[in-house]
Amino acid sequence: MSALIELGEQIRHCQKCELARYRNRAVPGEGSENADIMFIGEAPGWHEDQQGRPFVGPAGKFLEELLSLIDMKRQQVYIANVIKCRPQGNRDPLPHEILTCRLWLERQIEIINPQIIVTLGRYSMALFFPQKSIGKIHGTAEKRDGVIYYAMYHPAAALHQQSLRETIKADMLRIPQIIAQLKNTPEADKEPEIRQLNMFEV
Ligand code: URA
């Protein structure tokens, strides 16, 4: 059994917080264990809780549409969430739930070892860009310890606010550029490259 599958089993049986009492299914995440790109959303919604799979409702449909813009399918990336169980009534995740669940996400990142981590929405962004505002940093990349972090709006936000649709599409379209730059830059860890990546700012 692969480390990721084993981890998924542990997550499915997790009882670390009270969300376990209300869930139908935990949603560990899915995709390629060798993915270069890892997307991190917020929390499972109703559809995800029913199926035990991430981003399978309307926001997931839009995420798939966004992926198709860069010629990718969900099986080629890894898709996870900050918290693995649905908060009742789709309420926002609580700080202690995020903290408790964080170890699962950290293990996933360790195993997948992606080149780029794309945060979807405020809760995911807050883990990697604390104190930042999504309105300011969406579409910008930052490299730390060999990993590129890239912040995007949550696909569900674009479903509620039509004006965000084009913004989120434009942000998605920058990802191949960022990866190409990373691959073609042997010394990409150096400071000037970090600054260059930050210049993608909208
Ligand atoms: N929204 C999320 O943040 N994650 C999902 O899996 C589905 C919707």
Side-chain angles (χ1 to χ4, degrees), residues 28-202:
E30 70 178 25
S32 165
E33 185 151 357
N34 303 312
D36 286 343
I37 314 177
M38 181 167 178
F39 288 87
I40 303 177
E42 181 180 316
W46 187 86
H47 295 276
E48 290 77 21
D49 175 71
Q50 294 290 312
Q51 295 186 37
R53 299 177 56 211
F55 281 95
V56 287
K61 273 217 157 35
F62 186 43
L63 180 59
E64 286 174 16
E65 188 185 324
L66 291 168
L67 283 169
S68 74
L69 294 177
I70 58 167
D71 288 325
M72 296 208 89
K73 296 205 177 307
R74 58 186 291 149
Q75 298 87 329
Q76 294 172 279
V77 300
Y78 196 83
I79 305 174
N81 281 305
V82 171
I83 63 169
K84 312 302 189 199
C85 299
R86 179 184 183 234
Q88 313 93 283
N90 278 357
R91 65 160 169 75
D92 288 341
L94 298 172
H96 78 272
E97 292 162 353
I98 295 173
L99 196 67
T100 308
C101 223
R102 193 172 173 149
L103 108 158
W104 296 131
L105 184 62
E106 282 170 2
R107 275 292 290 139
Q108 288 176 316
I109 294 171
E110 215 173 277
I111 294 169
I112 296 158
N113 192 21
Q115 294 187 339
I116 174 163
I117 291 180
V118 181
T119 66
L120 299 173
R122 281 182 303 129
Y123 285 89
S124 175
M125 177 199 69
L127 290 184
F128 303 97
F129 300 94
Q131 319 293 334
K132 294 279 164 68
S133 133
I134 187 89
K136 289 216 172 99
I137 69 156
H138 74 88
T140 68
E142 196 173 306
K143 191 172 185 201
R144 276 176 249 140
D145 300 327
V147 180
I148 297 279
Y149 297 89
Y150 186 67
M152 285 179 54
Y153 281 106
H154 195 288
L159 298 179
H160 302 128
Q161 208 179 321
Q162 282 294 318
S163 59
L164 282 182
R165 267 186 96 85
E166 295 312 311
T167 306
I168 196 168
K169 283 184 180 174
D171 288 349
M172 182 64 107
L173 282 165
R174 287 197 180 96
I175 291 178
Q177 224 179 326
I178 290 168
I179 292 179
Q181 179 156 7
L182 180 75
K183 285 195 168 145
N184 296 332
T185 314
E187 295 183 276
D189 271 330
K190 287 195 172 170
E191 268 296 304
E193 296 310 322
I194 300 174
R195 272 192 237 112
Q196 212 167 335
L197 288 166
N198 279 336
M199 283 164 61
F200 288 124
E201 204 144 356
V202 174

